């Protein structure tokens, strides 16, 4: 089953929900005209289905291979990466100063979704590179920018993010890698694990952004600095010089994303350059992580779309059972059965809701970057853990439904449904687990500011209420959802016990996600009711929004109860009781 980009829905979300025409009026985005954006979407969709999709399954079967410190990516990846660079895809969202195309994040997001849907393993290399570019753009010295950004934006050099160490995963305060000043640079020593595309054969150079400590640095997160450690040290003219002492000791054997090499990196007095100031590394890394967290959230959307397309195609072809009404003939395609329809609608409606939320957040990122109005950044900060946590958890459920629709064939590798589920499984773990996202949401984004941004956002949702009079079921489910979030925000802000706040953090994140998704589906139903010029699309959108309200949004009050009342049960057993059991 080959991937086809869902261009109709993407265009609908870009234009009707995310406000592409308003984004295009922001300074510097004048090139994002409807014609240009359309041409980009068409080209990206061709690249995704003609170049990346054909090497997705084979890449999974073959995997990347490590030998003597070098990594060979699966057949076709090198050629595809060359085409990625030639197409200028990596340059899309970056400023023209270093060769970027200066297009809005919103447009780049739609392209990113296509690349990830068609080949998630491949897409991780650009994802990490874009995060590194972003960090250098915002925190690097002019000399670093001059030396590295051009090649990275072009794609001939790629970037990585080196945070994790064996003893430092979620808790980066435990990072031990050392950085000792040596003239104009630092000598970096230590071991990093799980480094995505830490070594590979796609680009001529790899630039590692590494978290490390200087000898005098304070303990904990306040003593972490960020360094740029190139695989090859560039000469002043930009050509490649000496090989740095940063090497890949091995790569991991893992559940999914087999084509994406996950490297153990060893640094032995490797030459590194300080990014920004000493001891401020973690805040710089957060810049990279926010971009990466958004992108991983988008992976949830992308895998869901891909899994849905596979399941739909199979459901149209697989013949089993008789029609419930007027049956009696032969076996019918399973898409006729209500329960199969239910699964397909769960997949479709949640995918569309997640896509809409992600694109709306991408548009807010554009507004935050180009205007002084702080409300956009506040909204982005509130929603990053939701996009990351909710879309990835839902992505796994959708990929799992994809296996279910295929029946036994879903469990067999050759249909590809199993690969989507295996690939999706990492998304709730890297870039901060769902638990970590939920604590960020509850602690930093809600409790710390007395729920101000969340309440302002809920105010926006309430404005929809009267407009939804023509869609009573959606109206009621959304109103119940808003009330549920409101009560949870009050509970979180009012609670004096952090354990009680955090015990319900993940259910609260889920609640925020399904209500934010319901918000977008309600807006989608309203836009479709006005008519977009495509009658069949509009009808399907309204029906999908109604389904989402009845099957997904309706869970909001129960989640509210879990958040507010569930803490007692979570902490009920003492550690001794757990151990005794
Ligand atoms: C395929 C893959 C690719 C990766 N790519 C990169 C990369 O490119 N760069 C990089 O630096 N890292 C990368 N990682 C590492 C990844 O980011 C970490 O695995 C992740 O942050 C979780 O850390 P951990 O594995 O040490 O789990 P732990 O931190 O040990 O967590 C174990 C469990 O405990 C929970 N937990 C931990 N602390 C708390 C807490 N304070 N409160 C509540 N619950 C908590 C977690 O939610 C989790 O459920 C990658 C990992 C994998 C598997």
């Amino acid at each position: 089953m080959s991937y086809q980009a869902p261009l109709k829905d993407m265009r609908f979300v870009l234009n009707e929900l995310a406000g592409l025409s308003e984004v295009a009026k922001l300074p510097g985005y004048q090139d994002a005209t409807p014609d240009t954006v359309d041409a980009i979407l068409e080209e990206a969709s061709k690249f995704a289905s003609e170049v990346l999709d054909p090497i997705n399954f084979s890449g999974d079967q073959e995997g990347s291979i490590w030998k003597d410190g070098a990594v060979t990516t699966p057949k076709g990846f090198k050629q595809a990466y060359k085409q990625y660079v030639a197409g200028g895809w990596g340059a899309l969202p970056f400023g023209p100063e270093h060769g970027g195309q200066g297009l809005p994040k919103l447009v780049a997001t739609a392209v990113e979704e296509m690349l990830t849907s068609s080949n998630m393993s491949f897409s991780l290399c650009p994802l990490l590179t874009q995060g590194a570019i972003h960090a250098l753009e915002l925190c690097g010295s002019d000399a670093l920018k001059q030396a590295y950004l051009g090649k990275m934006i072009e794609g001939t050099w790629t970037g990585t993010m080196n945070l994790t160490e064996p003893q430092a995963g979620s808790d980066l305060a435990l990072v031990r890698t050392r950085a000792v000043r040596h003239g104009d640079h630092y000598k970096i020593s230590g071991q990093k694990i799980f480094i995505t595309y830490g070594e590979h054969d796609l680009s001529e150079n790899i630039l590692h952004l590494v978290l490390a400590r200087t000898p005098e640095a304070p303990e904990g997160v306040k003593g972490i600095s960020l360094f740029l450690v190139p695989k090859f040290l560039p000469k002043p003219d930009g050509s490649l010089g000496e090989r740095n002492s940063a090497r890949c000791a091995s790569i991991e054997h893992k559940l999914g994303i087999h084509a994406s090499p996950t490297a153990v990196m060893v640094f032995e007095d490797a030459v590194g350059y300080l990014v920004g100031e000493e001891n401020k590394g973690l805040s710089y890394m957060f810049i990279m992580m926010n971009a990466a967290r958004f992108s991983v959230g988008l992976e949830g959307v992308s895998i869901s779309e891909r899994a849905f397309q596979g399941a739909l195609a199979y459901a149209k072809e697989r013949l089993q059972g008789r029609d419930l009404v007027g049956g009696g003939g032969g076996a019918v395609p399973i898409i006729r059965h209500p329960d199969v329809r239910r699964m397909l609608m769960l997949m479709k409606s949640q995918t569309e809701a997640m896509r809409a939320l992600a694109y709306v957040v991408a548009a807010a990122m554009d507004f935050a970057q180009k205007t002084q109005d702080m409300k956009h950044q506040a909204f982005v900060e509130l929603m990053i853990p939701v996009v990351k946590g909710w879309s990835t958890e839902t992505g796994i459920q959708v990929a799992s439904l994809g296996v279910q629709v295929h029946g036994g064939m879903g469990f067999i590798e050759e249909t590809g449904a199993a690969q989507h589920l295996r690939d999706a499984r990492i998304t709730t773990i890297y870039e901060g687990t769902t638990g970590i996202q939920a604590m960020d949401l509850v602690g930093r984004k809600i409790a710390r500011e007395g729920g101000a941004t969340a309440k302002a956002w809920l105010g926006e949702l309430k404005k929809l209420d009267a407009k939804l009079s023509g869609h009573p079921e959606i109206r009621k489910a959304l109103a119940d959802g808003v009330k549920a979030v409101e009560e949870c925000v009050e509970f979180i802000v009012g609670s004096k016990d952090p354990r009680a706040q955090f015990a319900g953090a993940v259910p609260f994140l889920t609640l925020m996600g399904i209500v934010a998704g319901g918000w977008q589906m309600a807006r989608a139903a309203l836009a479709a009711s006005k008519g977009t010029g495509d009658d069949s699309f509009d009808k399907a959108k309204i029906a999908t929004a109604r389904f989402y309200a009845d099957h997904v949004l309706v869970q909001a009050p129960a989640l509210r109860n879990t958040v507010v009342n569930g803490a007692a049960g979570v902490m009920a057993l003492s550690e001794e009781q757990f151990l005794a059991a």
Side-chain angles (χ1 to χ4, degrees):
M1 218 302 292
S2 64
Y3 168 74
Q4 297 299 323
L7 289 176
K8 260 191 196 176
D9 197 54
M10 286 178 162
R11 287 195 183 104
F12 172 82
V13 174
L14 288 169
N15 296 318
E16 304 291 338
L17 304 181
L20 178 61
S21 58
E22 291 306 304
V23 170
K25 287 182 197 147
L26 291 167
Y29 289 160
Q30 59 281 356
D31 289 347
T33 59
D35 284 352
T36 306
V37 172
D38 243 24
I40 292 172
L41 296 181
E42 291 288 348
E43 277 308 305
S45 121
K46 272 195 220 148
F47 180 63
S49 37
E50 291 170 14
V51 178
L52 297 184
D53 187 46
I55 54 172
N56 185 42
F57 183 72
S58 55
D60 174 65
Q61 298 292 303
E62 195 180 330
S64 275
I65 293 167
W66 180 95
K67 191 161 184 268
D68 299 333
V71 171
T72 310
T73 52
K75 200 158 152 266
F77 270 55
K78 246 173 128 167
Q79 184 54 33
Y81 191 76
K82 261 192 201 148
Q83 286 178 254
Y84 171 86
V85 174
W89 293 112
L92 230 55
F94 299 107
E97 314 82 64
H98 298 283
Q101 296 183 28
L103 283 160
K105 173 81 180 169
L106 178 56
V107 177
T109 296
V111 172
E112 194 176 327
E113 184 196 318
M114 296 185 217
L115 305 192
T116 311
S117 280
S118 54
N119 196 324
M120 180 169 147
S121 278
F122 178 93
S123 75
L124 284 164
C125 187
L127 185 162
L128 269 310
T129 305
Q130 302 219 342
I133 293 170
H134 206 48
L136 280 182
E137 265 186 340
L138 290 168
C139 319
S141 64
D142 286 344
L144 285 184
K145 287 183 197 169
Q146 213 49 46
Y148 296 97
L149 279 181
K151 298 269 193 189
M152 291 174 86
I153 288 172
E154 193 181 75
T156 39
W157 295 356
T158 60
T160 70
M161 193 158 96
N162 281 248
L163 284 67
T164 308
E165 298 177 11
Q167 78 296 343
S170 302
D171 188 358
L172 293 171
L174 303 175
V175 159
R176 277 194 212 136
T177 297
R178 309 294 286 173
V180 180
R181 187 184 270 280
H182 189 81
D184 68 341
H185 63 268
Y186 289 70
K187 287 189 165 181
I188 313 290
S189 303
Q191 193 200 61
K192 296 282 179 182
I193 59 166
F194 297 159
I195 305 309
T196 299
Y197 279 94
E199 180 58 44
H200 60 83
D201 56 359
L202 302 182
S203 65
E204 51 186 50
N205 203 2
I206 303 174
L207 309 168
H208 303 286
L209 284 183
V210 181
L211 285 187
R213 288 177 189 286
T214 54
E216 319 75 41
E219 288 292 305
V221 288
K222 291 196 174 132
I224 297 176
S225 306
L226 181 62
F227 299 89
L228 186 141
V229 183
K231 175 177 169 184
F232 289 101
L233 300 169
K235 294 183 192 157
D237 66 357
S239 62
L240 293 185
E242 216 179 299
R243 177 79 153 86
N244 205 356
S245 49
R247 62 183 174 86
C248 171
S250 61
I251 59 173
E252 307 294 347
H253 297 278
K254 46 198 197 302
L255 180 65
I257 51 166
H258 290 152
S260 163
T262 305
V264 173
M265 295 299 302
V266 177
F267 300 92
E268 288 160 324
D269 281 339
V271 174
Y273 304 100
L274 182 66
V275 178
E277 292 172 37
E278 276 188 17
N279 299 333
K280 295 204 174 155
L282 203 69
S283 58
Y284 304 149
M285 214 64 200
F286 261 107
I287 296 172
M288 222 166 132
M289 279 198 297
N290 261 343
R293 283 177 175 180
F294 176 82
S295 290
V296 174
L298 200 61
E299 286 174 3
V301 182
S302 309
I303 287 280
S304 296
E305 173 65 38
R306 189 73 178 82
F308 170 62
Q309 290 190 14
L312 180 60
Y314 188 78
K316 285 181 191 166
E317 282 174 10
R318 172 70 176 159
L319 303 177
Q320 285 294 287
R322 311 285 175 274
D323 256 340
L324 281 177
V325 182
V332 296
I334 57 170
I335 194 169
R336 300 241 184 111
H337 304 311
D339 188 57
V340 174
R341 287 286 180 96
R342 180 191 61 82
M343 291 192 278
L344 291 171
M345 284 302 280
L346 262 179
M347 297 176 83
K348 176 176 162 66
S349 66
Q350 292 184 101
T351 305
E352 290 180 14
M354 293 189 290
R355 173 179 299 120
L357 181 66
Y359 287 24
V360 163
V361 172
M365 288 179 184
D366 287 322
F367 279 103
Q369 200 199 332
K370 300 281 184 180
T371 69
Q372 302 302 316
D373 189 341
M374 293 306 290
K375 76 165 188 266
H376 300 296
Q377 187 58 29
F379 173 73
V380 170
E381 299 272 333
L382 177 72
M383 285 297 164
I384 289 279
V386 179
V387 169
K388 165 50 166 106
W390 174 62
S391 305
T392 56
E393 291 286 348
T394 309
I396 294 173
Q397 289 168 22
V398 171
S400 182
L401 279 167
V403 171
Q404 194 70 15
V405 170
H406 282 80
M409 282 310 286
F411 202 67
I412 307 298
E413 289 290 348
E414 71 195 52
T415 59
Q419 185 194 348
H420 304 319
L421 180 57
R422 289 188 289 95
D423 284 354
R425 194 60 192 85
I426 185 59
T427 60
T428 59
I429 296 171
Y430 59 18
E431 292 307 334
T433 60
T434 307
I436 297 295
Q437 303 302 322
M439 295 202 306
D440 178 48
L441 176 66
V442 164
R444 292 179 62 233
K445 312 292 171 64
I446 306 255
R448 191 190 281 181
E449 57 155 42
T453 307
K455 287 176 191 168
W457 170 64
L458 289 170
E460 289 298 311
L461 270 64
K462 285 181 188 168
K463 286 184 199 158
L464 284 185
D465 187 65
K467 294 183 190 159
L468 286 166
S469 55
H471 302 279
E473 296 83 5
I474 299 175
R475 181 184 192 176
K476 166 88 170 67
L478 188 63
D480 289 348
V482 168
K483 186 164 171 279
V485 176
E486 218 162 27
E487 289 175 6
C488 288
V489 170
E490 289 306 332
F491 167 76
I492 291 164
V493 171
S495 170
K496 299 279 174 279
D497 177 2
R499 282 184 310 180
Q501 287 176 337
F502 287 148
V506 169
F508 176 67
L509 181 145
T510 310
L511 170 65
M512 283 284 286
I514 65 173
V515 173
W519 168 46
Q520 291 310 322
M521 291 310 275
R523 294 183 64 219
L526 290 174
S529 302
K530 275 192 197 146
T532 62
D534 181 339
D535 203 34
S536 129
F537 178 88
D538 292 343
K539 278 192 183 132
K541 188 55 100 175
I542 294 166
T544 308
R546 166 76 196 271
F547 176 93
Y548 184 92
D550 290 342
H551 289 252
V552 183
L553 193 48
V554 72
Q555 295 157 19
L559 282 161
R560 175 256 173 225
N561 293 343
T562 303
V563 174
V564 173
N565 304 323
V570 169
M571 302 306 283
L573 299 192
S574 67
E575 240 170 277
E576 291 72 30
Q577 282 171 311
F578 255 116
L579 293 176

